[in-house]
Each structure stands twice: as C-alpha cells, then as structure tokens.
Amino acid sequence: MITPHFWIANRITPRTMDLAFRVASAGIISPVSRLRFIYGGIGARQVDATLRRARGLRGWSLSWVRTARQYLSAARAAHTRGEHAEATRCEASAALCYHYAQVFELDNLDRRNYLYRRAADLFRRAAPRLDPPALRVDIPWRDTSLPGYLRVPDRDGGPYPVVVLLNGASTVKEETGHWSDPFLRRNFATLAIDTPGSGELREHVSGHPDQVDIGEALIRFAEEHNKLDPRRVALLGASLGGAVAVRLAQATPDILAVVALTPPFHPSPYFRHLNAVVRQEIALVTGARDGELDAIVEKMSLLDIAPRLRAPLLVVGAGRDLVVPPQEAWNLYRAAGGPKHLHFIRQANHVGFSHLPQWTAAAADFLSSVAGA
C-alpha cells in the first residue's frame, strides 16, 4: 500500500529539487537525512557547511568536492605532524565526499564516473591503514571479478564467520564498509563488495536478477581464504541489495543466513510512482534502455522466491521509507519460507540511515545467534 506521505514525497521532480536548492541551498535537507553522511565518517559541522554551500543540483557535487579537498588538506597536515591515524581518517572521509558528490550526477555520466573513480582511488590508498585494515580483494565471478574490502577482527585468529555487505543502487562498498564495527565486535569478518551495476562494476557489468551464481562465488572465495569459515557465510543487503541477498540465499543452500534491509519485495506495482531520481538510479544499475526498465523490475519480484527461502532471515523495515514502501518489509517477512524475524523501526528512513547503530546491532545479534559466534 502506498501511503499519502510516500506519494507526496515521490512527486518531487529533479527540477523542483534543483529550484529548492537554488533558493534555500541543500541545507533544507532534514537532520535525519544528514545522518547518512555523518555515519559515513563526515563530521557534522562539515556536513552542515557542505549542504549550505550547495546551490542547485549542480552545486551539490561542487560543494562535496570542496569538502573532500579540505579533508585531503587536513590529511597532509596530519601526516606532517606524524598523526597518521588521523590522516587516514581524513583520507577515508575525502573518499566518501567524492562518492556523495556523484549522487545527483545522473545526466552527466562522464562526471559521475570520474567522481566515483576518485572516491575509489582515495579509499584504496587509505584502506590498508584503517583499524582493522581493509584488505582489497577481487572475487572471481564469471569472466570478471567482484571488487571488495575484507576486514577481520584479529589478524591472528580465525577462521571467522563472514557477513557479506551487498550494496543498493546508490551505495558502494566504500560506504557499506563503514557498517562493519558491530559485526567485527561480534567476531565476524566483513566483506563489503560492489554488486553488478554499482561502484567499480558500474561501467563494465550491469545488474540483473538472474545473477544468482554470485552466491557460489562468495562461498568459493571463503573456502580459499584461511581467515574465513565457508560454512558460516551470511549476507546483508541494503535496499535493492536486500532483494539480491534473498535471491542469492534461496539459490545457494550453503549461505548461512540473510539480513534484508528495507528491501523491495514486489516492486512493479509501485515502481512507476517512484521519484525520477530513483528510477534513473535503477536504470543505471540494470543498464536498461528505454522501454526495458519495467520488464526488468518485474523480474526483481520475490513473490516466487521468498517462499522457497530456507536460510534464517532477518527483515529490517523502516516506517518512514520514501523509496520502498514500508509495507514491503512486512510482505517479505510474511512470505519467507524459513525461520524469520522482523525488526521494524517506525521512525527510520530508507536503508535505516537514521538508525544505523540500532539496526546494525540488531543484525549483529541475529547473525551471532545463528552462527554461534
């Protein structure tokens, strides 16, 4: 069911948004929406200053790039002082600023790709110096590989259960990796990857519902890595990645458990009502041309998949989700065929960015109970 609040929010066009930002700046964004950037490692004061500078959608990317450069300047100064941990933090924040800069660059794909490549390069340099380090990995799949970052709780321990973080349409591995701490504290390794159509794969491989052999590729990767336990590979997917996680787990019996965060369950009835920005994001992920998108979205449905799922499932729903109707979380929960739990946060927004500490803690508790970690 589409609520009036959902309907009104999705009537806002890019042109209306551009005008609002020109008149009042992106500083009109709600405090709740700002939490995405803060939990991504950007200081609250820097977030406020960045949004106030952003005039129009074009000004959005320019302002985030300016903040990224400020972080890089701070990183150089910290290195000079010998404060290398602080420098690493600033470099990782600069990378995320470049990622956030490309959010509204939907018509200028060259600039969008440039901004993301800059984000990926900066994060790759900082990753080995994070605590714990983020090890760059490439997971063989079909005739390519899935890029990711692996973090383990203790370099001398293992093998560890691992939770694979599957991104949505607008998130990338450099961002989802920031969700690792609750899982690392529970003795899980985390593997943040770019799924087809996103991040480093966006320019090379489009996403499609039939790519369920990714599940087997993840199991093989765990089997070949001495720090990971291939019998305890769990999936956590955000938004579109939540539906992907369910689909992979249903097709891959060796997957231990699934967390689906604000996932679409059966999107075709409401997809045409979504904001144009969201629709264009899905088109970019899937590589859909004119007239193809609705058919691809129809294939994303979990109506026939969820009843056949046997892995334990945690569905995280958000009562103030304006991208996926909140009822979709309930629909997936009711349809799922195996052991299942629902964690519904009435005040949360899409992907639970507003309540990230709460839902990550709940997900870590759930996976720990299943894995015996």
Side-chain angles (χ1 to χ4, degrees):
M1 180 179 67
I2 299 178
T3 65
H5 191 56
F6 181 94
W7 178 274
I8 292 170
N10 279 282
R11 299 282 65 74
I12 299 174
T13 66
R15 182 176 180 181
T16 301
M17 193 179 304
D18 180 63
L19 178 61
F21 284 4
R22 288 179 184 277
V23 172
S25 84
I28 63 174
I29 289 178
S30 70
V32 167
S33 297
R34 297 172 192 223
L35 290 173
R36 173 182 184 178
F37 313 122
I38 293 171
Y39 288 135
I42 315 302
R45 291 173 62 183
Q46 285 84 355
V47 170
D48 290 345
T50 303
L51 296 178
R52 286 197 304 270
R53 285 195 306 263
R55 296 283 178 171
L57 295 184
R58 174 61 174 162
W60 175 277
S61 65
L62 296 174
S63 188
W64 279 106
V65 168
R66 178 175 169 181
T67 301
R69 290 171 176 164
Q70 291 170 347
Y71 270 117
L72 290 175
S73 177
R76 288 190 291 270
H79 276 307
T80 300
R81 297 191 302 268
E83 298 174 358
H84 302 301
E86 173 64 12
T88 297
R89 185 191 68 79
C90 289
E91 289 166 353
S93 294
L96 266 293
C97 286
Y98 274 103
H99 161 57
Y100 297 137
Q102 49 98 48
V103 167
F104 291 121
E105 292 285 354
L106 298 174
D107 295 320
N108 188 340
L109 294 186
D110 287 341
R111 178 166 173 78
R112 181 182 176 94
N113 291 334
Y114 163 77
L115 290 169
Y116 174 70
R117 286 195 297 267
R118 185 75 173 122
D121 289 345
L122 285 171
F123 192 86
R124 189 180 298 114
R125 296 209 309 254
R129 292 180 274 114
L130 295 174
D131 183 21
L135 173 67
R136 169 64 187 228
V137 297
D138 289 284
I139 301 154
W141 173 69
R142 296 187 180 179
D143 58 353
T144 184
S145 60
L146 308 172
Y149 285 102
L150 175 67
R151 303 179 77 184
V152 297
D154 185 331
R155 297 179 189 177
D156 298 324
Y160 297 104
V162 57
V163 54
V164 182
L165 305 173
L166 305 172
N167 53 316
S170 69
T171 50
V172 291
K173 63 186 181 304
E174 291 81 5
E175 182 174 14
T176 59
H178 277 271
W179 307 346
S180 294
D181 284 351
F183 304 101
L184 293 168
R185 288 195 294 268
R186 288 297 198 122
N187 225 33
F188 273 82
T190 64
L191 176 59
I193 69 170
D194 286 330
T195 51
S198 69
E200 292 185 61
L201 292 178
R202 182 167 58 209
E203 298 182 68
H204 312 292
V205 184
S206 296
H208 195 276
D210 69 358
Q211 294 164 333
V212 293
D213 52 336
I214 289 174
E216 291 294 344
L218 295 170
I219 297 294
R220 286 195 301 271
F221 175 79
E223 289 172 341
E224 296 168 3
H225 199 292
N226 61 4
K227 291 285 187 180
L228 306 180
D229 184 348
R231 299 167 301 172
R232 295 187 292 172
V233 176
L235 306 178
L236 188 160
S239 186
L240 183 60
V244 171
V246 171
R247 193 175 288 275
L248 297 186
Q250 188 278 320
T252 315
D254 290 334
I255 294 296
L256 178 72
V258 188
V259 178
L261 172 63
T262 60
F265 171 69
H266 184 52
S268 55
Y270 60 85
F271 183 74
R272 65 183 182 276
H273 300 299
L274 291 181
N275 187 291
V277 172
V278 177
R279 288 176 58 88
Q280 197 163 350
E281 282 276 9
I282 302 301
L284 289 175
V285 167
T286 60
R289 298 185 177 89
D290 292 343
E292 297 177 338
L293 188 55
D294 287 342
I296 292 176
V297 168
E298 179 66 36
K299 293 178 182 179
M300 293 179 182
S301 175
L302 299 176
L303 278 172
D304 296 329
I305 301 295
R308 304 202 303 269
L309 178 68
R310 292 297 174 261
L313 169 69
L314 172 66
V315 183
V316 180
R320 295 193 175 180
D321 194 331
L322 301 179
V323 177
V324 174
Q327 188 64 31
E328 287 283 82
W330 290 91
N331 293 340
L332 173 57
Y333 170 72
R334 293 187 180 109
K340 54 191 176 182
H341 306 271
L342 176 67
H343 185 73
F344 194 84
I345 308 174
R346 295 189 180 280
Q347 302 303 313
N349 61 2
H350 186 57
V351 188
F353 286 120
S354 58
H355 291 70
L356 195 140
Q358 292 92 322
W359 74 254
T360 52
D365 287 345
F366 165 73
L367 293 178
S368 182
S369 68
V370 175

